[in-house]
């Protein structure tokens, strides 16, 4: 009933959010796949991508004015900058917060504490260095980002949502290729299924783990840029809520399962936004985390199940 | 006979517990060597130490004259030591073909002649090549584990309990294939509880007891040794 009126008007922004959740959720699920641990500092990887995109675009666009095809170029540059920022921070996290614990065969709880510590460290470092106020990214578009670009079922799809969808789909397809067709993907799947035996096959486990963090960081960092490009802007706390939501999405789809993270992200984004229509905007976060609790109670392995190392 | 693989006074500990208390073993090029012993004697520990999954507390391991203890597992396989681990350890959610490709990981991609060789030894794997490893029967998984280890083109093949849990007819088949692999030029170190079968194809054998080598001899001599028969063949003490 609440959905009969303007369903698509709520669905489209939900879908766009869902793409962002999916990109972030993949970082959780990939790392969980190879280490069976939740990288709770991943929200800061996302935030790092936001700042990397912010600094790069604000520096570039400060000198030139985007027009026509150069808008596309700026978006690409922003995504690459965000991805690199996320990838670098994710790699450093692995080296500093996790690998030393692995070498000492630390218990799982130590990893969790280390993750939370690293998360707070990065959060506060960013707050101190980059300021406590949220900052907008210089817009690479000549038109206003909320102007509808085209219409689906009578609902205008804004330029911003279209950019998110296109970038996310490209990255998801690239990830799928990576996991299924490359030697790195083969290594990631082997480590996820049986790390000891992967080592016997000649897989350098530490190297694969580091590369998995980087891949997750690339996706999360690009998502951070896309998120910051929108009305939310970039701030040192920007990772907190989307990070938890994406974690929820990963659990919803089945943690460790790559397709699960994609599906969980899209579903969560859509459900969340439909709840805006049906309940109230202020209940969005309640709905999301209610879903998390519900999934954990009813089907802890998620929709697609916990399938470590399953080819995507 | 040139020594291919040599363990010299190898000691391994799990925390405070000594699993290997000074194991010395030599494997010559082209041999099949059986490593026998009861549960917990240290057979699997010995293989895992050779392949770099465990590192000796004391002692040294040489392969082709080069010291290899201390190298990580992924480097040891690159030298030419293939390991078919205890319990087969097939990647359950990879197809048979993908499992074999994992065996060739050190080359980047599987070479066709290696695949052909494995499929010639185990025609069953060719039939099942698209099936997930986890859905194979125990015998098929064992074939896949051995085939996967062969994909790395090992000079020496470590086999951990290849007959475990298999029907007698299949056990015979697996041992015939191990002999065939050896005749094709691969040295084999065979860990077995099935002493008669192992000694019937091996050239030499060692007997491990609680982390120490207590006997070593030609396989034919061990096969008739009253102590071996008493301990591992269920015969009354002579």
């Amino acid at each position: 009933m609440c959905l009969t009126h303007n369903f698509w008007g709520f669905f489209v922004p939900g879908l766009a959010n869902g793409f962002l959740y999916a990109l972030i959720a993949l970082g959780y699920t990939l790392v969980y796949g190879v280490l069976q641990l939740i990288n709770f500092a991943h929200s800061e990887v996302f935030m790092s991508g936001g700042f990397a995109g912010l600094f790069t675009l604000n520096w570039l666009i400060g000198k030139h004015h985007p027009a026509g095809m150069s808008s596309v170029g700026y978006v690409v540059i922003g995504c690459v900058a965000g991805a690199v920022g996320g990838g670098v921070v994710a790699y450093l996290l692995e080296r500093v917060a996790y690998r030393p614990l692995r070498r000492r065969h630390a218990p799982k709880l130590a990893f969790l504490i280390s993750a939370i510590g690293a998360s707070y460290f990065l959060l506060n470092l960013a707050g101190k260095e980059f300021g406590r106020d949220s900052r907008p990214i210089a817009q690479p578009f000549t038109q206003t980002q909320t102007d509808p670009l085209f219409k689906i079922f009578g609902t205008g799809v804004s330029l911003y949502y279209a950019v998110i969808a296109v970038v996310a789909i490209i990255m998801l397809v690239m990830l799928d290729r990576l996991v299924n067709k490359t030697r790195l993907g083969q290594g990631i799947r082997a480590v996820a299924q049986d790390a000891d035996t992967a080592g016997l096959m000649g897989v350098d486990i530490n190297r694969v783990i580091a590369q998995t963090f980087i891949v997750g960081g690339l996706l999360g960092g690009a998502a951070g840029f896309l998120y910051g490009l929108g009305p939310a802007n970039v701030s040192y706390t920007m990772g907190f809520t989307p990070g938890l939501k994406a974690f929820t999405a990963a659990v919803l789809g089945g943690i460790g399962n790559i397709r699960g993270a994609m599906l969980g992200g899209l579903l969560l984004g859509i459900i969340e936004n439909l709840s805006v229509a049906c309940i109230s905007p202020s209940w969005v976060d309640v709905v999301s985390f209610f879903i998390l609790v519900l999934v954990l109670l009813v089907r802890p392995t998620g929709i697609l199940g916990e399938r470590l190392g399953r080819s995507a | 006979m040139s020594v291919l693989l040599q363990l010299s006074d190898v000691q391994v500990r799990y925390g405070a517990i000594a699993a290997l208390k000074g194991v010395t073993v030599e494997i010559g090029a082209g041999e099949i060597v059986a490593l026998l012993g009861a549960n917990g004697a240290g057979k699997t520990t010995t293989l895992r130490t050779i392949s770099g999954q465990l590192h000796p507390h004391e002692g040294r391991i040489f392969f082709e004259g080069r010291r290899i203890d201390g190298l990580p597992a992924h480097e040891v396989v690159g030298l030419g030591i293939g390991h078919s681990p205890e319990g087969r350890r097939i990647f359950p959610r990879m197809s048979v073909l993908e499992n074999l490709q994992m065996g060739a990981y050190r080359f980047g991609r599987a070479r066709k002649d290696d695949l052909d060789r494995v499929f010639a030894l185990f025609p069953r794997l060719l039939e099942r090549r698209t099936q997930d490893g986890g859905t194979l029967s125990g015998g098929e998984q064992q074939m896949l584990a051995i085939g996967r280890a062969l994909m790395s083109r090992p000079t020496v093949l470590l086999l951990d309990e290849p007959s475990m849990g298999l029907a007698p007819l299949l056990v015979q088949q697996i041992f015939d294939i191990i002999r065939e692999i050896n005749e094709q030029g691969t040295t084999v170190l065979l860990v077995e509880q099935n002493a008669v079968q192992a000694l019937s194809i091996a050239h030499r054998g060692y007997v491990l007891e609680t982390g120490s080598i207590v006997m070593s001899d030609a396989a034919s001599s061990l096969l008739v040794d009253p102590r071996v028969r008493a301990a591992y063949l269920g015969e009354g003490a002579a």
Side-chain angles (χ1 to χ4, degrees), chain A residues 183 189 193-194 308 310, chain B residues 89 91 93 98 105 132:
Chain A
R183 189 157 182 264
R189 286 185 290 141
Q193 291 183 29
D194 186 339
L308 301 182
R310 183 79 195 163
Chain B
R89 304 291 284 265
F91 295 108
R93 290 174 301 278
E98 285 177 310
Y105 187 84
D132 269 7

Side-chain angles (χ1 to χ4, degrees), chain B:
Chain B
M1 182 194 77
S2 64
V3 175
L4 184 64
L5 180 65
Q6 183 186 22
L7 283 74
S8 143
D9 193 31
V10 168
Q11 300 178 31
V12 175
R13 291 181 182 181
Y14 293 115
I17 301 159
L20 296 183
K21 302 168 187 166
V23 167
T24 298
V25 169
E26 284 189 354
I27 293 140
E31 280 190 305
I32 298 181
V33 173
L35 187 58
L36 309 174
N39 265 334
K43 305 187 298 291
T44 295
T45 302
T46 304
L47 292 195
R48 286 171 60 87
T49 307
I50 295 170
S51 63
Q53 293 185 299
L54 296 170
H55 299 291
H57 174 73
E58 287 286 337
R60 295 165 179 204
I61 303 174
F62 293 92
F63 176 66
E64 293 178 329
R66 180 182 163 184
R67 194 167 169 186
I68 61 164
D69 53 276
L71 290 183
H74 67 266
E75 287 180 26
V76 172
V77 65
L79 300 175
I81 298 180
H83 187 167
S84 165
E86 185 184 30
R88 300 150 198 154
R89 304 291 284 265
I90 296 305
F91 295 108
R93 290 174 301 278
M94 289 189 192
S95 70
V96 167
L97 190 61
E98 285 177 310
N99 266 283
L100 292 174
Q101 284 163 344
M102 278 312 301
Y105 187 84
R106 74 172 175 117
F107 301 124
R109 63 171 47 239
R111 299 187 220 182
K112 186 161 185 311
D113 45 340
D114 290 337
L115 278 172
D116 289 344
R117 177 189 177 202
V118 170
F119 287 140
L121 286 168
F122 304 105
R124 184 70 71 84
L125 295 182
L126 182 62
E127 290 167 30
R128 309 260 154 151
R129 65 188 178 283
T130 57
Q131 207 171 312
D132 269 7
T135 65
L136 299 181
S137 72
E140 291 163 345
Q141 288 197 354
Q142 189 57 62
M143 294 174 190
L144 181 53
I146 297 174
R148 186 178 62 178
L150 285 175
M151 291 299 292
S152 70
R153 294 200 175 171
T155 315
V156 56
L157 180 62
L158 315 178
L159 296 175
D160 200 338
E161 302 267 10
S163 75
M164 189 163 49
L166 302 189
L169 203 64
L170 210 49
V171 171
Q172 187 55 52
Q173 201 186 336
I174 294 275
F175 277 100
D176 287 344
I177 290 169
I178 294 170
R179 196 200 306 247
E180 196 180 332
I181 290 168
N182 176 249
E183 281 162 4
Q184 291 172 359
T186 307
T187 304
V188 175
L189 176 56
L190 175 62
V191 155
E192 260 301 334
Q193 296 215 39
N194 192 336
V196 174
Q197 286 279 8
L199 290 172
S200 70
I201 64 162
H203 301 102
R204 294 189 302 116
Y206 290 85
V207 178
L208 259 176
E209 233 167 63
T210 58
S212 305
I213 299 285
V214 293
M215 259 187 267
S216 76
D217 209 336
S220 53
S221 312
L222 287 176
L223 205 47
V224 295
D225 188 296
R227 287 170 298 169
V228 173
R229 300 194 73 87
Y232 302 108
L233 305 179
E235 292 183 5

Side-chain angles (χ1 to χ4, degrees), chain A residues 130-152:
Chain A
F130 306 146
R132 307 279 169 182
D133 301 322
S134 73
R135 296 156 69 172
I137 294 179
Q139 290 300 308
F141 314 116
T142 43
Q143 70 180 114
T144 313
Q145 61 166 235
T146 49
D147 283 352
L149 193 65
F150 57 90
K151 290 198 166 201
I152 297 180

Side-chain angles (χ1 to χ4, degrees), chain A:
Chain A
M1 172 195 65
C2 50
L3 295 176
T4 49
H5 170 67
N6 197 15
F7 173 83
W8 296 103
F10 288 101
F11 182 89
V12 168
L15 189 66
N17 261 343
F19 274 122
L20 291 181
Y21 292 156
L23 287 177
I24 311 166
L26 283 165
Y28 286 104
T29 234
L30 283 166
V31 166
Y32 184 86
V34 293
L35 284 182
Q36 284 83 58
L37 103 98
I38 301 294
N39 175 17
F40 274 112
H42 191 56
S43 44
E44 269 50 67
V45 169
F46 170 83
M47 177 265 288
S48 308
F51 275 106
L54 170 90
F55 292 136
T56 307
L57 276 202
N58 287 13
W59 177 69
L60 281 175
I61 294 178
K63 295 177 182 167
H64 316 278
H65 284 286
M69 282 310 288
S70 77
S71 291
V72 177
Y74 284 122
V75 171
V76 171
I77 289 168
C79 287
V80 170
V84 169
V88 167
V89 170
Y91 174 74
L92 291 176
L93 263 176
E94 202 281 312
R95 289 307 298 258
V96 175
Y98 297 124
R99 188 173 295 193
L101 297 178
R102 268 208 317 284
R103 200 174 296 129
R104 291 173 179 77
H105 304 285
K108 292 267 170 193
L109 189 60
F111 286 88
L112 185 64
I113 294 166
S114 185
I116 294 169
S119 176
Y120 272 84
F121 172 79
L122 290 171
L123 182 76
N124 287 295
L125 183 71
K128 176 181 171 293
E129 295 297 323
F130 306 146
R132 307 279 169 182
D133 301 322
S134 73
R135 296 156 69 172
I137 294 179
Q139 290 300 308
F141 314 116
T142 43
Q143 70 180 114
T144 313
Q145 61 166 235
T146 49
D147 283 352
L149 193 65
F150 57 90
K151 290 198 166 201
I152 297 180
F153 304 110
T155 295
V157 176
S158 74
L159 185 60
Y160 177 55
Y161 294 149
V163 165
I164 290 177
V166 169
V167 173
I169 289 168
I170 291 171
M171 294 196 84
L172 296 182
V173 170
M174 277 166 51
L175 178 73
D176 191 78
R177 300 258 102 184
L178 175 88
V179 170
N180 290 307
K181 304 284 178 204
T182 67
R183 189 157 182 264
L184 171 59
Q186 200 186 4
I188 290 175
R189 286 185 290 141
V191 171
Q193 291 183 29
D194 186 339
D196 273 353
T197 306
L200 281 184
M201 304 291 117
V203 179
D204 183 343
I205 299 168
N206 278 323
R207 191 185 161 94
V208 165
I209 289 172
Q211 289 169 335
T212 306
F213 268 86
I214 292 173
V215 171
L218 294 173
L219 299 169
F225 163 71
L226 291 173
Y227 182 81
L229 190 60
N233 296 335
V234 172
S235 76
Y236 75 111
T237 55
M238 68 186 272
F240 184 73
T241 307
L244 277 180
K245 297 275 182 69
F247 169 63
T248 303
V251 173
L252 175 65
I255 189 84
N257 184 321
I258 289 175
R259 288 212 174 134
M262 298 182 186
L263 177 70
L266 294 177
L267 270 181
L268 187 72
I270 292 165
I271 294 170
E272 203 180 71
N273 231 41
L274 293 182
S275 78
V276 171
C278 292
I279 307 171
S280 144
S282 48
W283 283 76
V284 165
D285 294 350
V286 177
V287 169
S288 298
F289 297 120
F290 179 72
I291 290 172
L292 175 62
V293 174
L294 204 65
V295 172
L296 289 174
L297 283 177
V298 177
R299 192 174 160 83
T301 54
I303 298 171
L304 297 186
E306 185 179 335
R307 301 290 296 273
L308 301 182
R310 183 79 195 163
S311 54

